Amino acid sequence: MKILVNEGITQEGVVILEDKGFELLITKVAQEQLENFINENSVDAILIKNRTQIQQELIDACPSLKLIASGSTSMDNVDVQYAIDNGIQVVNSQEGSANAIAELIFAHLSGMVRNLHLSNREMPLEGDMNFKGLQKLYRGIELKGKTLGLIGINPTSIATAKIAIGLGMKVLITDPEETEASVELEFFDGQTIQFELNAIPFDEVISESDFISVHLYNRDFKLGESEFDKMKDGVGIVNCVQGGLVDEVALVKAMEKGPIRYAALDSFENEPNPEIQLLMNPNLSLSPKISNATNEAQERVSIELANQISTLLS
C-alpha cells in the first residue's frame, strides 16, 4: 500500500511504516495538485497536518483513498464525517502532542500573570531610563492557590491538569459527555500520585475559575459574551487548542470593560490571518499556532500515527 506523507513525519515513524511493508511517498504536494497526485499514484493513505485541505470534493475525486491521518489535534481542515460516511478511516494524534500543548498553555499563563508579554515590549524602550518604574508597573500574581477551569476532558486537558496540580492550583473540569478524568503525576524518581477529577456543570466551572483553558474539539462550541458575563472579575482565558473556540470580538470587549484581565491565544478564528485588532492589542499574549511544535511532540506524534496506520491498514 502507498502512503503519501504530505506534511512530514519523523524518521521513527518512517521506520515503523517501512518495516511493515508500506511504500512511502515523502513529498510535499501542493493543494491544487493533490487530486491528480493521489489518483496517478493510487495512494491508499495520506498523512497531513493542518495545512492540507481534505474536503468533500477531494474525497469524491480520489476513490483509492482509504485512510486520512493527521498529525494535528485539530481536524478543521478535514471533512471528517463525510470521509467516515464514505468508508474512509480518519485518525489523528492527541496523546503525542498533549504535553507540548499543556506546557505552552502554562508558558502563556506564567507570562501573563507576571506581565512578561508587556515587559518584553517595554524593557527595550524604557529599561535603561525607567527601570524602577517598570518594576512597580508590572507587579504580578502567582498561580499557586488559584483555580484553573478546564473545558473538555481529553489528553490535552489531562496533561494541563497535571502541571496545574504540580503548581499547587485547584483544578475544575467539565465536559458535555465525560463524567470524570484520571490524572496521574509521574515524578523523576519513579513515584506516581493519582488524582480523580469529577466533571462538574459548565456554568460552575466558568463562574468559579480564576483561569479558564478551552480543550473541546467542537466547532459548535464557542466562549462568548454570555459566558464572559458569568465569569469572575479578573479572569484569564487561554485557547491553545483550536481556532473558533473563543469569540475574539467579545474577548477584546471583555478585556476593555471586564471581567477578563488576561487572555492568551495560540489558535485563532481566522487562520492563518488573525485579525489585526488582536495582533495590535498589547494586552494579549499571542503565539502563531505553535502548541505542538516541539521536537519531542513531533516524534511522539509520528510514532503514534505510524502505529495506528499500520494497525488499520495491515
Side-chain angles (χ1 to χ4, degrees):
M1 288 189 172
K2 294 181 180 179
I3 300 173
L4 170 59
V5 181
N6 203 45
E7 287 191 75
I9 190 172
T10 65
Q11 187 59 32
E12 290 85 352
V14 169
V15 169
I16 291 171
L17 291 171
E18 289 184 340
D19 284 350
K20 295 290 185 178
F22 294 103
E23 180 183 349
L24 300 191
L25 307 175
I26 304 176
T27 181
K28 173 61 180 174
V29 181
Q31 184 70 45
E32 62 272 15
Q33 299 171 345
L34 198 54
E35 177 185 329
N36 288 339
F37 187 93
I38 290 173
N39 290 329
E40 289 173 2
N41 292 277
S42 299
V43 170
D44 298 284
I46 182 170
L47 200 157
I48 62 172
K49 289 185 181 176
N50 51 22
R51 294 181 181 177
T52 303
Q53 295 289 325
I54 302 184
Q55 304 297 333
Q56 180 176 342
E57 183 178 353
L58 182 65
I59 292 169
D60 288 340
C62 300
S64 67
L65 208 56
K66 301 177 181 66
L67 184 145
I68 301 166
S70 174
S72 173
T73 53
S74 169
M75 298 284 279
D76 279 347
N77 54 321
V78 178
D79 193 333
V80 175
Q81 192 57 54
Y82 189 78
I84 293 172
D85 291 343
N86 283 270
I88 298 174
Q89 300 183 86
V90 181
V91 297
N92 75 324
S93 170
Q94 290 192 15
E95 292 280 357
S97 56
N99 184 70
I101 294 171
E103 287 193 6
L104 183 66
I105 288 169
F106 272 92
H108 277 293
L109 281 174
S110 299
M112 286 192 300
V113 298
R114 300 304 296 271
N115 296 302
L116 294 182
H117 60 304
L118 299 175
S119 63
N120 279 334
R121 293 187 178 100
E122 296 299 325
M123 278 295 288
L125 301 175
E126 298 186 37
D128 58 340
M129 299 178 293
N130 190 27
F131 193 86
K132 290 186 177 180
L134 293 178
Q135 281 183 332
K136 296 177 182 179
L137 183 62
Y138 296 133
R139 180 174 295 169
I141 63 173
E142 298 179 10
L143 293 174
K144 183 178 181 180
K146 305 302 189 297
T147 298
L148 175 65
L150 301 173
I151 301 174
I153 295 177
N154 52 49
T156 65
S157 62
I158 291 173
T160 305
K162 291 180 182 181
I163 299 177
I165 293 170
L167 284 172
M169 300 184 77
K170 179 182 178 181
V171 176
L172 302 178
I173 198 163
T174 188
D175 190 278
E177 298 178 358
E178 303 293 331
T179 59
E180 60 183 19
S182 181
V183 179
E184 183 178 72
L185 271 65
E186 302 171 351
F187 298 95
F188 70 95
D189 59 358
Q191 293 188 70
T192 61
I193 298 179
Q194 193 85 15
F195 294 85
E196 300 299 329
L197 301 178
N198 293 317
I200 64 174
F202 173 79
D203 281 354
E204 289 185 30
V205 171
I206 63 172
S207 64
E208 296 178 15
S209 297
D210 300 300
F211 302 94
I212 297 169
S213 181
V214 192
H215 294 263
L216 287 176
Y217 297 92
N218 183 345
R219 298 179 186 181
D220 297 326
F221 174 85
K222 181 172 288 192
L223 281 181
E225 184 176 356
S226 62
E227 290 78 23
F228 297 153
D229 288 342
K230 299 174 184 177
M231 295 178 183
K232 283 184 177 182
D233 189 45
V235 70
I237 305 293
V238 182
N239 180 19
C240 290
V241 170
Q242 177 174 285
L245 297 177
V246 177
D247 183 330
E248 293 167 356
V249 173
L251 177 70
V252 172
K253 180 180 177 181
M255 291 191 73
E256 294 172 350
K257 299 182 178 180
I260 297 174
R261 180 176 180 182
Y262 308 101
L265 300 173
D266 182 66
S267 297
F268 301 86
E269 287 183 300
N270 187 27
E271 294 179 0
N273 304 110
E275 299 296 338
I276 192 68
Q277 65 171 324
L278 298 177
L279 301 180
M280 298 301 291
N281 190 322
N283 295 313
L284 289 169
S285 180
L286 304 174
S287 54
K289 205 171 182 68
I290 57 170
S291 58
N292 63 350
T294 68
N295 295 334
E296 296 86 349
Q298 294 309 304
E299 288 185 5
R300 290 192 298 267
V301 166
S302 294
I303 292 170
E304 183 182 348
L305 286 179
N307 286 328
Q308 289 188 72
I309 293 168
S310 62
T311 298
L312 291 170
L313 293 184
S314 293

